[in-house]
Amino acid sequence: MSSNLAVKLRSGTQKAHTSAENVGFMKCFLKGVVDRQNFAKFLSNLYFVYSELEAAITSHVNNPVIAAVYFPELNRRASLEKDMVFYYGSEWRSLITPSSSTQAYINHIRELSARDPVLLIGHTYTRYMGDLSGGQMLQKIAQSTLKLSGYEGTSFYNFEQIPDKQAFKNTYRQAMDSLSIDDATGDRIVVEANSAFQFNMQMAKDLEGSLIKAIGQVVFNSLTHTNNPGSTEAAAM
């Protein structure tokens, strides 16, 4: 049976995608307002999330449903480790800790891995498709704003093994749509994709306090007082 899962995910997460774009930290980021310390913390939290998510997926790769949408070229942990060395130095492992919301996300991934690992697909879809879409714009903004050379400090967004991102996203969507799962499982995966957005939104919100200290409350308010009307990336995901 065909699940049409990518179609369901695209339509079922549009509202969450727009909400994520309207988190204050991300609105500032998209307008080119991000400082080195907060960007490094942003990436360090993602390091913990991807480490947990990719370990969980790898441990269940013998599951035929997970195997059908497992693309190791998407893995981000090694790239994030390069970024951690860039921002924190060789002793980076002793200098970073997950935020409380990041730890909550990690705990949720562990729970899914133990209880119903197929639902992890909702999280891989949300993260990886976002990284290949809007994430590429965030990379350019970070490179420009922080005056970074090449991919130094933004290795996370550099998919070396995926030269044609649009072609890969099409392949990824086809694999998702071809999964042999029932409608109920598909619906639960969509629920998890929305959960992924919520966890990621909270992780971004946690950084707003330190961002306000860096740029000032007045500037923050001026950058975030209006909402974006809708997602610019949802259709591409």
Side-chain angles (χ1 to χ4, degrees):
M1 57 186 158
S2 179
S3 68
N4 293 320
L5 182 58
V7 175
K8 293 177 182 177
L9 283 164
R10 188 163 58 249
S11 61
T13 60
Q14 283 185 343
K15 289 183 179 179
H17 199 289
T18 298
S19 296
E21 289 183 345
N22 282 290
V23 172
F25 177 82
M26 296 310 300
K27 288 165 77 173
C28 289
F29 197 155
L30 288 167
K31 293 177 180 178
V33 180
V34 62
D35 66 297
R36 184 183 177 102
Q37 179 180 351
N38 278 292
F39 184 60
K41 180 61 177 175
F42 173 72
L43 291 179
S44 74
N45 283 330
L46 290 178
Y47 164 76
F48 289 109
V49 170
Y50 279 89
S51 295
E52 195 66 41
L53 182 58
E54 290 171 358
I57 290 294
T58 301
S59 71
H60 294 291
V61 76
N62 290 330
N63 182 304
V65 175
I66 290 176
V69 290
Y70 175 62
F71 296 89
E73 58 266 43
L74 287 170
N75 289 348
R76 297 290 84 204
R77 178 177 176 174
S79 297
L80 283 161
E81 288 178 346
K82 292 180 184 177
D83 291 334
M84 293 302 94
V85 172
F86 178 79
Y87 290 109
Y88 295 102
S90 60
E91 301 299 315
W92 62 271
R93 293 183 188 277
S94 64
L95 298 175
I96 65 172
T97 55
S99 68
S100 58
S101 57
T102 301
Q103 187 61 55
Y105 194 2
I106 291 169
N107 293 343
H108 186 70
I109 291 169
R110 288 173 179 168
E111 178 189 349
L112 291 181
S113 181
R115 174 173 55 85
D116 199 346
V118 167
L119 300 185
L120 292 168
I121 292 171
H123 295 265
T124 57
Y125 169 87
T126 299
R127 281 299 340 169
Y128 292 129
M129 292 298 273
D131 300 333
L132 288 166
S133 300
Q136 300 304 298
M137 179 170 57
L138 295 180
Q139 180 186 44
K140 291 180 173 62
I141 292 171
Q143 287 172 322
S144 175
T145 303
L146 302 179
K147 296 178 171 55
L148 300 171
S149 175
Y151 292 112
E152 283 188 332
T154 61
S155 293
F156 167 62
Y157 298 106
N158 182 27
F159 289 83
E160 294 178 337
Q161 299 179 56
I162 305 177
D164 189 335
K165 295 176 181 62
Q166 188 56 53
F168 180 87
K169 286 191 291 184
N170 290 338
T171 298
Y172 189 83
R173 283 194 293 266
Q174 290 168 5
M176 297 284 275
D177 281 339
S178 298
L179 287 178
S180 295
I181 56 174
D182 57 31
D183 287 340
T185 300
D187 290 343
R188 290 162 65 212
I189 290 173
V190 173
V191 169
E192 283 303 324
N194 280 291
S195 293
F197 272 108
Q198 292 301 319
F199 279 114
N200 283 285
M201 286 166 62
Q202 190 56 54
M203 286 165 56
K205 288 177 181 178
D206 283 354
L207 296 171
E208 290 180 5
S210 55
L211 179 61
I212 290 170
K213 288 181 180 178
I215 68 174
Q217 184 73 58
V218 173
V219 174
F220 180 83
N221 289 347
S222 70
L223 291 168
T224 61
H225 74 285
T226 58
N227 282 343
N228 296 320
S231 171
T232 58
E233 295 294 338
M237 289 177 67

